[in-house]
Structures are given as structure tokens and as C-alpha cells.
DNA sequence: GCTTGACCTCAAGTCGACTTGAAGTGGCAG
DNA sequence: CTGCCACTTCAAGTCGACTTGAGGTCAAGC
């Protein structure tokens, strides 16, 4: 009773079976065996799915996520690459923080036109003094989400 | 010389003209007039585009973003709705923070299997003690996210 | 031993967010 | 006045991430 079949994983993770099959196809997760036809998933898969969901939420594509943590546990990417990814996320956290504060400001500031409110402008400028990740005109990523 | 045509906006914002037209179509930005055939954009559009990019980065769809800040400046959504959006973003910031720290941990922790490392598990659990936004099995958003 | 229901595969469809291509327009430099 | 070139529209194509549907399999309960 160690293993779960896809329905249970779906129930526990909130991710549809079709998506789970898709993830397996994409090499993000892997089932350990089959019971008849049925995939059997180990409990770790739930943790992996959480990681995947966080990665998606960060705007990484499934491909990038597969790169970060391979289907069986966690990838052995060079430290530098991982730190670089972490830095990207860090930049994004700052952007989101600015967005959050901007939204709250908009909700509360009584000024008629926000475009002229200095507080507003300061908040927007907050994000990306030097907009690293999103400064490429060639292949704008995320979309996603997140892209 | 107050207004810019699409090429200049593209150059200043890093967003392709085709995407800008698409955004206008979608009601996210608006040109003030035409010079011949050419759309003329006011300088504020750059600020709006920044806001849009932040919104995308937060995983909102163009539709949602259009809802938050209409094409002409900033929307007058009820305060409560805006604060709710802000809360969503806040939750996401926490997730990203956990992801960032997890990545850094993975980069530095010498343990062979992270799945068993308590620090690792704690980090992953960090995000979403009760995963509000992403707990729906019906219509999983973001993607692009992304996309 | 037969039905049931949860699973399987594989192809095709969908949706959002753009991009690409073809065919046309029009301001401005020479 | 002419040519150029950045713009225009509109339809169709693309890509990622899934979902849907048709047709099939199989372990378990009656």
C-alpha cells in the first residue's frame, strides 16, 4: 500500500490525471511500475508536484522545471546554474512586491489620476531599475504562464 | 513630439510591435490618435506596459490585467477586489521565496537525496500551508505562464 | 464468469498569447 | 514627384500546456 495510482495522486495534489500523464511524458515525474496497466506512483511524487507547481508559479516552463529537478528527485545542475535561477526568482520577487504595493496603493490612494501620483510612479519604478530578465526584445519568455 | 509611434514604444519597452497591437486589441493600452495610419502613443503607455509586464510576471492573464488597470490609466475596481489581488500576489511571493530558498539549499546541501533531507522538506512545506490559489482542480490557471 | 469502473493509449482539439505573411497606405527625404 | 520604409489590416500559423474523446484493458466485486 506504499504506492498510489493516478487517481489518488490527482486527488491528493489537485492535479488532473491527464496533466499527470502529461508531466510524466514530459519527464517531470515518473511512476515506478505498473499494476496491470495502471501507473503506480511513490509518495515522493506529491513533493515533486509541489515543486513543479512552485516552478510554474515562478513562470518557468515545464522544460525548465524538468531541468531544475529531474523526474527522479532533484537534479544535479552545477551550483552556479541553480544560484542563477535563484537570482532570477529573487528579481521576480521584487517585481511582485512592487506590484502588490502598487495595487494596495491604487486601492487606497484618493488621487484622481494615478499616472501623476508620485507615490505611484515610485512604486512602479521600484521593479527593475535594471530589468534583467525581461529586457530581451527577441524572445520574451514567461507567458505564462506563465507563460 | 509628445507622442510616439509604435516602433519607438517597442524600442523603449522591449515589446514587439505585434504584441503592442495585440495589447491594444485586448484593451490593455490605447493609442490616442493616428498620424496617417500610424498609432500615436502617449508617454504614459510605457508605465502601463511596465505594469502589464509585472502583472504577467505575477501569472495574471491579459484579461485579468485589463481588469486591474484599464486601457486608460488605472481601473476603479472596488478596493476590496484590489486588496484581494494583492493578497494573491502576497501568497505567491511566499511561494517564490520558498522556491528560491529551496534552490539555494539544493545548490549547497551535500546530502545525496534531498527528498529525505529535513531542511529540504521544511522549505518545500513552507509554501502554501493551505495552498489557496492553486488548490482548484477544475481550472488550473497560470501557465505561462507561465504562461 | 460477467460487469463495472478506474485506468490505459493515441490523435485531435482548445486556449491564451503572440508571430508571421501578404497586400496595402502614406508621410517625408531627396 | 517619386521612392522608400515604417507603418497598417486581416487571416492564418505556432507554441506550450493541457483537455477531450474514442476505443481498449484489466482487477475486483457480485
Amino acid at each position: 500500500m506504499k504506492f498510489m495510482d493516478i487517481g489518488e495522486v490527482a486527488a491528493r495534489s489537485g492535479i488532473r490525471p491527464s496533466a499527470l500523464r502529461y508531466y510524466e511524458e514530459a519527464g517531470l515525474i515518473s511512476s515506478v511500475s505498473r499494476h496491470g496497466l495502471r501507473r503506480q506512483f511513490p509518495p515522493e511524487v506529491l513533493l515533486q508536484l509541489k515543486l513543479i507547481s512552485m516552478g510554474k508559479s515562478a513562470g518557468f516552463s515545464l522544460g525548465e522545471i524538468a531541468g531544475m529537478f529531474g523526474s527522479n528527485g532533484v537534479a544535479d545542475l552545477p551550483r552556479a546554474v541553480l544560484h542563477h535561477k535563484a537570482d532570477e526568482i529573487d528579481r521576480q520577487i521584487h517585481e511582485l512586491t512592487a506590484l502588490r504595493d502598487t495595487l494596495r496603493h491604487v486601492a487606497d490612494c484618493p488621487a484622481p489620476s494615478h499616472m501623476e501620483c508620485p507615490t505611484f510612479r515610485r512604486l512602479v519604478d521600484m521593479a527593475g531599475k535594471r530589468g534583467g530578465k525581461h529586457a530581451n526584445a527577441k524572445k520574451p519568455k514567461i507567458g505564462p504562464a506563465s507563460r
Side-chain angles (χ1 to χ4, degrees), chain A residues 24-42:
Chain A
E24 186 176 24
E25 187 77 346
L28 281 128
I29 57 177
S30 53
S31 50
V32 288
S33 67
R34 294 288 179 112
H35 176 55
L37 281 183
R38 308 183 176 195
R39 289 164 179 81
Q40 295 303 110
F41 291 98

Side-chain angles (χ1 to χ4, degrees), chain A residues 66-133:
Chain A
M68 289 190 245
F69 344 92
S71 69
N72 37 8
V74 172
D76 5 57
L77 283 176
R79 289 179 74 258
V81 175
L82 290 176
H83 275 299
H84 175 70
K85 299 265 185 195
D87 289 345
E88 269 182 45
I89 294 168
D90 212 47
R91 243 174 283 128
Q92 203 184 339
I93 288 172
H94 282 83
E95 252 189 60
L96 290 195
T97 304
L99 179 59
R100 182 199 59 193
D101 294 344
T102 304
L103 241 30
R104 292 211 197 286
H105 168 78
V106 168
D108 297 335
C109 174
S113 169
H114 292 285
M115 285 304 169
E116 280 140 33
C117 170
T119 306
F120 180 77
R121 290 187 157 269
R122 186 182 46 75
L123 282 167
V124 179
D125 285 350
M126 206 95 260
K129 266 300 168 209
R130 187 56 230 132
K133 185 179 179 184

Side-chain angles (χ1 to χ4, degrees), chain A residues 13-16 19-20 22-23 26 28-29 48-66 68-69 89 92 96 133 141-147:
Chain A
S13 66
I15 297 167
R16 304 254 220 117
L20 294 172
Y22 183 79
Y23 287 172
L28 281 128
I29 57 177
Q48 290 173 237
L49 286 170
K50 188 141 201 181
L51 245 9
I52 291 167
S53 122
M54 290 193 289
K56 284 184 35 174
S57 158
F60 293 108
S61 69
L62 295 191
E64 287 174 302
I65 295 171
M68 289 190 245
F69 344 92
I89 294 168
Q92 203 184 339
L96 290 195
K133 185 179 179 184
K141 58 162 50 176
I142 200 180
S146 81
R147 217 74 198 319

